[in-house]
Amino acid sequence: MSDDTSTTGSAAEAAEPADSAAASSAASASVSGGPSRRSVLGWGGAGLALGAAAAGGTVAALSGDGDPVPAALSGSSVPFHGEHQAGIASAVQDRLHFAAFDVKTKDRAELVQLLKDWTRAAERMTAGLPVGEGAVGGLPEAPPDDTGEALGLKPSRLTLTVGFGASLFAKDRFGLEGRRPEALVDLEQFPGDNLDPAKSGGDLCVQACADDPQVAVHAIRQLARIGFGKVAVRWSQLGFGKTSSTTPDEQTPRNMMGFKDGTRNIAGTDRAALDKFVWVGDEAKDGSAWMAGGSYLVARRIRMHIETWDRTPLQEQEDIFGRDKGEGAPVGKSKERDEPFLKAMKPQAHVRLAHPDTNSGATILRRGYSFTDGSDGLGRLDAGLFFLAYQRDVRKGFVPIQRNLSKNDGLNEYIQHVSSALFAIPPGVRDKDDWWGRALFA
Amino acid sequence: MRPARLNLLTAVAAVAALTAVTGCAEKSGSGDGALKVAASDSACEVSKTEFPAGKLTLEVENKGSKVTEVYVLFPDDRIVAERENIGPGTKASITAEIKAGDYEIACKPGMKGDGIRQKVKATGGGAATKRSPELDAAVAEYRKYVQAQADETLPKAQAFADAVKAGDLAAAQKAYATSRIGWERTEPVAESFGDIDPKVDVREDGLEAGQDPAKDWTGWHRLEKALFADKKIGDEEKKLADQLMTDLTDWQKKVGQAEITPTSMANGAKELLDEVASGKVTGEEERYSHTDLVDFKANVEGAQKAYELLKPVAAKNDAALSAELDKQFAAMNTLLDKYRADKNGYDFTAYDTVGQDQRKELSDAVSALGEPLSKLAAAVAK
């Protein structure tokens, strides 16, 4: 959606009733009112005018003067179709709703239909449109197709990213056992893991990212609703405060421990690095034709022992990370983006242990979010990092890094991995006829 | 977001346009029931400005050069029905079920602005269109079912009340769940008589502020607490048993007069699943007796009865939906059968022994059935 038409759009709209009514042979008393979200979104930029008006009538401030508008404020949409799924290398949004699903149906055709239905719904929602026939205007006696809480909200850069878990490839389920990629491993139990099986794994996952939490929650809610009877939500996680960015020119966000983390993340524009570390290659290179252009997602809910961390002296905190807390500079350096000198750090420093140089070059694209799910019944903040990492092959990405970290990282005293999942992320949906997982089920 | 403002400009335009309305209306006279809308870049002509309330079909033809959209609006601009993206030279139809009253038809050439508006009126008693004989038969049959459930419940409830009055704790506990089956099968109808449900089926936490459980809490669940939690029967409980019978007799007398329509039947079926989802799956409904699965089964049976009666029409209008409902009802019943040894009896596993994983499985099944069931009303109203 363009963000430069709202001023002209709204002017034209204001003039419209008089023009059309005067020219009409059949108009009666015209009652002025705002256009519905659907009609608005049908003609592009006007959605911004409506949203801006709702936010206090600042249409001109948003776009009229030609100044560039930050993506998050423009509420723009991220293209859904493409070679890769959006929500991986695309700029990280502010909010997350992640859901893992169990597939309940045993019927392969029904699962395929669900993936098609999800794809069509995702096309609409990422463009800022309600699913199906919308949230209003249908039969008064029947529940609307869309639940409506995103009416009037902007697309908010919503991306929806789907993945397949190893359990989907189990024998005697959908005939996919021969198609399980080698890289879709069963993750080992790492030292210190305290995983809750009810909040781990899943046959399918959907990552919904958006700048507005309501838009992300709405999206998962619609997909869950479309899926009732075929799939059931197994677990889900809300996230706020992205903890790493794929846009290095933006300031690196801080995690719940107050540190900048993810400074060296792969930039979404760095095609060479993405091809090398994130996107799965063709069958000859990576062994599974249907995954070409896809990626692998590791999701880990990492609980932080916030209260004990907060009682840790500043020097110790900085030693544990290997960065200073204010600027984020690596030990012995002055600026955040200065090249770290790993040997200057303590052997147990997080940055040192996580760095590619310590892990034979292993590199991952991080996309995690902070979470806070209230408190835990003992009055302790139930908070931490919902870690999301994309890579071309977990055996060369997350696994060696986590082996190293789980054994040695000084942070381990303050964190615990409590849920874990790995998903094969298929390539992007190419066009209106394509759907999530088509190559897998072909 | 949608203030009803009548500004000077549009008001003047409206007066100028009013003279044209009658001419437009006379043009029509097509007797096929559908309202024809001729949309162009500058006009929105409707074939008639008055039509009977009920099912309305708009046959729209876009004769203009711009993409348009057509709305049926309430006078306060709320949308009754709409269709967008009607391309130049194309036709589209819009259907809506509308009550008697004033409406506006709006065409929006270019899909923007308030559109070109036309006042119209739906006439008649507010009732929907004449129903099909099939639907009338479904309603009549369901009415009989509801009455039969009440008639059959009374003796079972009497057996329960008698056991309470005899001070026979074991017999009263045994008779408790079965005395509720007929009620649970038809609960949405029973609830339509606002005063009976709170008397017989309220839970302690359902009392309103200022109500005293000792005085104001009556019905099955108060007795449930006495029988299963306190495990004693006193004079108070014996009086409550009589009161329950009085209230249930009232229900039996009134139930035949309940207002029932095909859509209320369909939505009643959905509401029975809602009951399961909100009260039974959680174990809240029968927190002392743990007989939630008996209610669960009865709710499903009642929903299935309503669905089966509507099915001939639903299957015609939406074959995929009725196939899905057949499948999900079967799946639900198979799942519930796992919790009783005798498929013809109502001795279900006590819900406090049903584990969290099993509850999740039951909850998923309720969602799987409840979601398509919520679409039954639309399929029946088509």
Side-chain angles (χ1 to χ4, degrees):
Chain A
M1 180 179 288
S2 71
D3 56 9
D4 60 356
T5 56
S6 54
T7 307
T8 49
S10 92
E13 183 199 329
E16 191 67 20
D19 291 344
S20 54
S24 162
S25 64
S28 62
S30 177
V31 181
S32 165
S36 75
R37 183 170 188 247
R38 271 198 281 175
S39 62
V40 151
L41 291 161
W43 48 290
L48 300 174
L50 180 66
T58 53
V59 176
L62 257 184
S63 56
D65 53 8
D67 283 346
V69 177
L73 287 180
S74 77
S76 57
S77 59
V78 178
F80 179 74
H81 297 120
E83 185 185 352
H84 311 292
Q85 290 197 59
I88 302 172
S90 47
V92 181
Q93 304 90 323
D94 293 336
R95 305 295 185 125
L96 169 82
H97 190 189
F98 186 94
F101 294 83
D102 290 326
V103 176
K104 308 297 282 190
T105 181
K106 294 183 168 67
D107 182 346
R108 178 176 162 127
E110 205 170 68
L111 173 58
V112 164
Q113 188 58 48
L114 170 81
L115 290 165
K116 289 178 180 171
D117 293 346
W118 270 10
T119 307
R120 300 286 88 86
E123 278 167 352
R124 287 185 64 83
M125 290 192 288
T126 52
L129 300 166
V131 298
E133 297 291 311
V136 290
L139 279 179
E141 297 92 347
D145 285 352
D146 187 282
T147 56
E149 73 273 24
L151 283 178
L153 298 179
K154 300 170 204 171
S156 305
R157 294 194 296 162
L158 172 69
T159 55
L160 291 163
T161 314
V162 153
F164 303 124
S167 47
L168 198 70
F169 298 82
K171 211 165 169 291
D172 301 326
R173 276 197 91 184
F174 300 104
L176 298 174
E177 56 266 32
R179 313 211 72 187
R180 177 174 170 177
E182 267 187 41
L184 189 60
V185 296
D186 295 316
L187 284 179
E188 66 208 56
Q189 164 97 24
F190 296 98
D193 280 2
N194 182 21
L195 305 180
D196 177 357
K199 288 182 179 168
S200 297
D203 296 326
L204 301 173
C205 76
V206 184
Q207 170 196 282
C209 298
D211 292 320
D212 185 326
Q214 182 128 333
V215 169
V217 169
H218 169 263
I220 294 291
R221 182 171 163 194
Q222 309 317 301
L223 297 184
R225 192 176 178 207
I226 290 167
F228 280 134
K230 288 138 254 177
V231 295
V233 174
R234 179 178 173 85
W235 56 274
S236 77
Q237 180 68 52
L238 290 171
F240 65 92
K242 58 187 178 190
T243 56
S244 49
S245 81
T246 52
T247 40
D249 47 330
E250 283 181 33
Q251 188 179 315
T252 306
R254 288 175 189 275
N255 64 17
M256 290 294 282
M257 290 173 157
F259 276 78
K260 292 184 181 179
D261 198 13
T263 300
R264 291 292 298 266
N265 207 24
I266 299 172
T269 48
D270 187 348
R271 288 205 67 100
L274 291 169
D275 283 339
K276 188 169 177 193
F277 297 115
V278 179
W279 304 130
V280 175
D282 58 23
E283 188 169 17
K285 287 192 190 118
D286 288 328
S288 186
W290 71 268
M291 273 297 286
S295 190
Y296 292 90
L297 168 65
V298 172
R300 310 270 290 184
R301 187 179 192 270
I302 306 174
R303 172 85 189 269
M304 291 174 178
H305 304 312
I306 297 286
E307 289 79 4
T308 52
W309 174 259
D310 294 346
R311 291 194 277 269
T312 305
L314 178 60
Q315 186 61 53
E316 195 179 331
Q317 290 187 1
E318 294 185 334
D319 285 347
I320 286 171
F321 267 93
R323 288 183 182 278
D324 77 58
K325 199 168 188 175
E327 163 65 23
V331 172
K333 300 297 176 92
S334 59
K335 288 288 166 198
E336 184 196 343
R337 293 181 194 286
D338 289 349
E339 193 59 32
F341 180 55
L342 299 181
K343 289 194 174 130
M345 297 175 186
K346 297 262 158 77
Q348 295 189 318
H350 179 71
V351 167
R352 180 171 177 168
L353 291 166
H355 198 277
D357 290 354
T358 315
N359 296 289
S360 318
T363 302
I364 53 179
L365 184 152
R366 277 158 300 166
R367 228 178 184 281
Y369 287 83
S370 290
F371 70 84
T372 301
D373 293 341
S375 42
D376 67 358
L378 298 174
R380 305 178 303 183
L381 200 60
D382 183 1
L385 168 65
F386 189 65
F387 173 91
L388 295 170
Y390 287 89
Q391 60 252 282
R392 183 171 167 181
D393 188 336
V394 285
R395 296 166 298 179
K396 296 172 186 157
F398 174 77
V399 170
I401 297 172
Q402 184 56 24
R403 265 183 204 150
N404 196 13
L405 286 173
S406 61
K407 225 184 308 171
N408 303 310
D409 191 356
L411 259 185
N412 290 339
E413 200 180 321
Y414 301 97
I415 60 173
Q416 188 167 51
H417 289 233
V418 294
S419 98
S420 174
L422 172 62
F423 298 96
I425 306 296
V429 173
R430 302 307 170 103
D431 52 42
K432 286 273 177 196
D433 298 320
D434 198 6
W435 43 277
W436 273 320
R438 182 175 50 87
L440 170 60
F441 289 92
Chain B
M1 289 296 290
R2 201 176 264 284
R5 275 181 277 113
L6 186 64
N7 65 39
L8 188 59
L9 206 57
T10 51
V12 170
V15 171
L18 267 174
T19 46
V21 169
T22 43
C24 168
E26 282 160 9
K27 248 184 269 174
S28 67
S30 74
D32 62 356
L35 189 67
K36 292 193 167 52
V37 180
S40 70
D41 296 350
S42 58
C44 183
E45 298 180 1
V46 298
S47 58
K48 51 192 169 188
T49 53
E50 283 203 11
F51 42 82
K55 191 176 162 186
L56 173 67
T57 304
L58 267 60
E59 302 287 0
V60 181
E61 185 171 7
N62 184 359
K63 297 174 172 170
S65 64
K66 295 178 185 167
V67 175
T68 192
E69 54 187 358
V70 174
Y71 288 80
V72 182
L73 300 166
F74 288 112
D76 64 358
D77 254 14
R78 279 176 301 130
I79 299 167
V80 179
E82 67 174 309
R83 173 62 67 93
E84 56 187 327
N85 279 318
I86 305 170
T90 64
K91 293 178 182 180
S93 80
I94 305 170
T95 57
E97 186 94 12
I98 67 175
K99 291 184 179 148
D102 292 323
Y103 296 89
E104 288 187 332
I105 308 280
C107 303
K108 296 189 184 181
M111 310 217 321
K112 56 186 170 182
D114 283 344
I116 306 160
R117 304 225 176 176
Q118 169 74 61
K119 279 196 170 173
V120 294
K121 186 188 272 294
T123 55
T129 36
K130 264 192 286 175
R131 278 204 300 266
S132 71
E134 280 167 303
L135 286 176
D136 284 340
V139 168
E141 200 57 37
Y142 187 66
R143 194 181 292 284
K144 268 192 252 169
Y145 173 75
V146 168
Q147 186 66 58
Q149 290 307 310
D151 294 347
E152 287 166 24
T153 294
L154 264 287
K156 287 176 184 155
Q158 191 62 59
F160 171 63
D162 288 347
V164 171
K165 287 164 73 178
D168 187 340
L169 189 66
Q173 285 176 341
K174 199 162 182 301
Y176 170 74
T178 43
S179 75
R180 294 173 44 75
I181 290 172
W183 172 272
E184 289 288 327
R185 281 177 182 150
T186 59
E187 202 166 344
V189 179
E191 281 172 355
S192 69
F193 312 108
D195 55 334
I196 299 176
D197 182 58
K199 284 183 191 162
V200 305
D201 200 30
V202 73
R203 299 192 296 266
E204 186 168 13
D205 46 21
L207 295 178
E208 290 165 25
Q211 285 190 314
D212 175 5
K215 287 201 304 249
D216 303 316
W217 186 22
T218 58
W220 271 305
H221 293 300
R222 172 131 183 221
L223 288 164
E224 181 205 1
K225 188 180 184 188
L227 298 173
F228 293 91
D230 307 336
K231 295 192 169 58
K232 62 179 170 57
I233 298 171
D235 289 346
E236 186 69 17
E237 283 69 35
K238 292 175 185 176
K239 264 193 275 175
L240 284 165
D242 278 334
Q243 180 65 45
L244 178 66
M245 288 315 299
T246 306
D247 295 332
L248 289 177
T249 307
D250 186 24
W251 165 56
Q252 184 199 18
K253 278 189 200 137
K254 280 185 180 167
V255 80
Q257 309 148 20
E259 190 185 327
I260 297 171
T261 65
T263 48
S264 80
M265 262 173 80
N267 281 326
K270 181 210 63 121
E271 282 161 29
L272 284 166
L273 263 290
D274 294 346
E275 290 274 335
V276 177
S278 54
K280 276 77 173 187
V281 188
T282 57
E284 282 171 81
E285 175 90 18
E286 305 290 358
R287 64 190 64 169
Y288 310 110
S289 64
H290 307 299
T291 54
D292 302 88
L293 286 173
V294 182
D295 294 7
F296 193 144
K297 178 69 183 174
N299 286 158
V300 170
E301 284 175 337
Q304 191 161 4
K305 180 71 185 181
Y307 163 62
E308 297 288 354
L309 291 173
L310 294 170
K311 190 170 151 185
V313 175
K316 222 182 323 178
N317 291 340
D318 191 341
L321 179 70
S322 83
E324 179 69 15
L325 283 169
D326 285 342
K327 187 175 124 185
Q328 296 300 346
F329 268 116
M332 174 62 84
N333 285 322
T334 304
L335 182 59
L336 281 172
D337 280 346
K338 283 166 51 177
Y339 296 92
R340 57 176 177 177
D342 174 7
K343 305 272 179 292
N344 299 312
Y346 285 82
D347 277 334
F348 279 87
T349 308
Y351 205 62
D352 57 339
T353 66
V354 174
Q356 200 52 44
D357 288 354
Q358 293 166 298
R359 289 183 183 203
K360 169 84 162 70
E361 190 182 26
L362 286 163
S363 176
D364 288 344
V366 171
S367 295
L369 174 56
E371 189 63 28
L373 203 50
S374 75
K375 299 188 170 82
L376 181 60
V380 169
K382 256 181 199 170

